[in-house]
Amino acid sequence: MSNIFSSHVSQTFDSVAQFLDHSYQTKNVIAIKKLHARLLRTGLLFFSLNIHCRLIFACTTCINKNNLQTLTNCCKFLNPINPLPFNLLLSNFCRNGFPLLALKTCSLMHITSVSLDTYALCSSLKASSSMEDVNFGKQIHAHVTKSGWLSSVFVGSALIDLYAKSSFVGHAAMVFDEIPVKNTVCANALLSGYVEGKLWDQGIKLLRNMPCLSLDYDHFTLAAMLRTCAGLSAIELGRQVHAYLTRKINDLGNDVFLQSSLIEMYGKCGFVEKALQVFNLEGYKLGGKVNRDIVLWTSMLGAYGRNGHCACFPYWYQSQVEPNPVYLLVKPKSRIL
């Protein structure tokens, strides 16, 4: 008998969740309000955290976008002892593009003495990065330092990512040095800040220090390394990275961004023939024919254009694919060698 009752309750909650999702997608405010009243009368609202959090999300974002007062009123009915519903709200707001509401939820958690775990801290830092609100991120950083959560590699990576994306690369480097446990994700976040800020020397220093910290190079690290080589025009270092890729990466043909980074590195260093060799070697076979991603074509075109070979590009393109007037945008009268 209990199994039948549990099955009936589960089906009821599934139906309510589907109806709520459909009402949110269609922006049916009246249906959401009626459902809210129905759940309050029957008492079902407080039996499922998932339904409760979905309803708060729908009421806050659908009835009035970024309605902070509605969010505050709805969160009053949540149990401050249990951080799970607040974490669900944080996740939904961050994933669906409402960073302001995510930061407001974090503030409500702190005001009502709800425990801020690594999940809540990482989601809040991600929302701060989306809002480009480094001041709120600094407040979270202070809380992390006092509460001891800086020992979490996930929180440390989120902090470095926030500062790096906000162009506070010095702060990101300071956090990287302070966190006791480091991984490749932390190094990649800092390296991304160096690359975006064109701080090539600091990027090279970090890359050379990673083996001393027992950190491995992943695909993102190697792509950033190639961008650094291109920024410094360090062709010898770029060749060493190319050799490392050949030895270590077994599925290089499946990573189109690493391939395009190689082409762009050679192109920016003025070695168009090397870029062309990489282009000709990469790609995947389909029915005996080598096909290449649009990213590779764009990178190779950029290498030609950057080095003054624009007039030769249509003829090179004709040698790669079957003649098609749709693709040949430029057709000069005489071939330029």
Side-chain angles (χ1 to χ4, degrees):
M1 188 68 180
S2 60
N3 293 335
I4 297 176
F5 178 77
S6 301
S7 177
H8 177 71
V9 172
S10 178
Q11 291 177 1
T12 302
F13 284 142
D14 290 342
S15 301
V16 171
Q18 292 177 5
F19 179 81
L20 185 58
D21 290 341
H22 182 267
S23 301
Y24 170 73
Q25 293 173 1
T26 57
K27 303 299 179 183
N28 192 340
V29 179
I30 297 177
I32 294 175
K33 290 182 176 180
K34 289 183 177 180
L35 177 63
H36 188 189
R38 175 73 176 178
L39 292 175
L40 283 174
R41 286 197 305 268
T42 58
L44 292 175
L45 180 62
F46 305 102
F47 280 93
S48 174
L49 285 177
N50 186 28
I51 296 297
H52 199 169
C53 292
R54 288 190 181 189
L55 185 62
I56 294 176
F57 175 80
C59 291
T60 308
T61 59
C62 185
I63 296 176
N64 188 3
K65 186 177 181 180
N66 291 338
N67 192 341
L68 301 180
Q69 188 59 46
T70 301
L71 176 63
T72 303
N73 295 335
C74 292
C75 288
K76 291 179 180 178
F77 297 96
L78 295 176
N79 184 5
I81 300 177
N82 185 9
L84 178 59
F86 293 93
N87 289 343
L88 288 174
L89 282 174
L90 271 171
S91 177
N92 288 334
F93 288 140
C94 289
R95 188 170 59 251
N96 292 279
F98 297 97
L100 179 61
L101 293 175
L103 297 183
K104 180 63 176 179
T105 304
C106 179
S107 299
L108 291 173
M109 293 176 68
H110 184 67
I111 292 171
T112 54
S113 300
V114 180
S115 175
L116 291 171
D117 55 11
T118 56
Y119 191 91
L121 293 171
C122 291
S123 298
S124 302
L125 289 170
K126 180 181 178 181
S128 300
S129 179
S130 300
M131 288 280 295
E132 297 182 355
D133 188 355
V134 70
N135 292 325
F136 194 93
K138 287 181 178 180
Q139 296 178 26
I140 299 178
H141 187 184
H143 175 81
V144 166
T145 303
K146 290 186 294 184
S147 60
W149 279 114
L150 196 61
S151 58
S152 170
V153 67
F154 304 105
V155 177
S157 299
L159 273 172
I160 295 172
D161 185 68
L162 166 68
Y163 285 129
K165 290 182 177 178
S166 303
S167 300
F168 286 80
V169 186
H171 290 67
M174 179 186 65
V175 175
F176 182 81
D177 293 334
E178 289 179 351
I179 55 178
V181 181
K182 302 176 178 64
N183 62 3
T184 304
V185 177
C186 299
N188 287 343
L190 179 57
L191 184 59
S192 176
Y194 285 143
V195 171
E196 294 300 326
K198 297 183 179 180
L199 303 174
W200 312 119
D201 293 336
Q202 289 89 328
I204 291 293
K205 183 178 178 180
L206 174 62
L207 290 168
R208 289 176 174 172
N209 195 33
M210 285 180 65
C212 300
L213 297 173
S214 301
L215 302 179
D216 295 327
Y217 299 142
D218 60 8
H219 288 216
F220 183 91
T221 312
L222 295 170
M225 193 181 299
L226 289 171
R227 288 188 62 185
T228 303
C229 295
L232 290 172
S233 296
I235 185 59
E236 292 302 326
L237 181 59
R239 284 174 172 172
Q240 294 178 25
V241 177
H242 190 182
Y244 180 88
L245 288 173
T246 305
R247 294 195 310 269
K248 297 294 184 179
I249 306 299
N250 296 325
D251 58 343
L252 182 60
N254 295 326
D255 195 328
V256 66
F257 295 103
L258 270 181
Q259 300 168 26
S260 64
S261 297
L262 269 174
I263 295 173
E264 290 176 2
M265 186 273 295
Y266 281 122
K268 289 182 179 180
C269 293
F271 288 78
V272 183
E273 292 183 358
K274 288 290 185 181
L276 184 58
Q277 288 177 6
V278 175
F279 180 86
N280 290 333
L281 290 175
E282 303 303 341
Y284 59 94
K285 291 186 177 181
L286 181 63
K289 181 181 177 181
V290 177
N291 293 276
R292 298 177 181 86
D293 192 274
I294 186 64
V295 178
L296 292 181
W297 289 102
T298 305
S299 300
M300 193 62 225
L301 175 59
Y304 270 112
R306 188 176 291 107
N307 292 275
H309 299 283
C310 298
C312 299
F313 175 75
Y315 301 99
W316 164 77
Y317 187 88
Q318 279 184 315
S319 67
Q320 301 291 326
V321 298
E322 296 178 359
N324 191 334
V326 176
Y327 296 111
L328 296 180
L329 303 180
V330 181
K331 186 178 181 181
K333 295 181 180 180
S334 59
R335 182 169 181 174
I336 302 176
L337 299 177

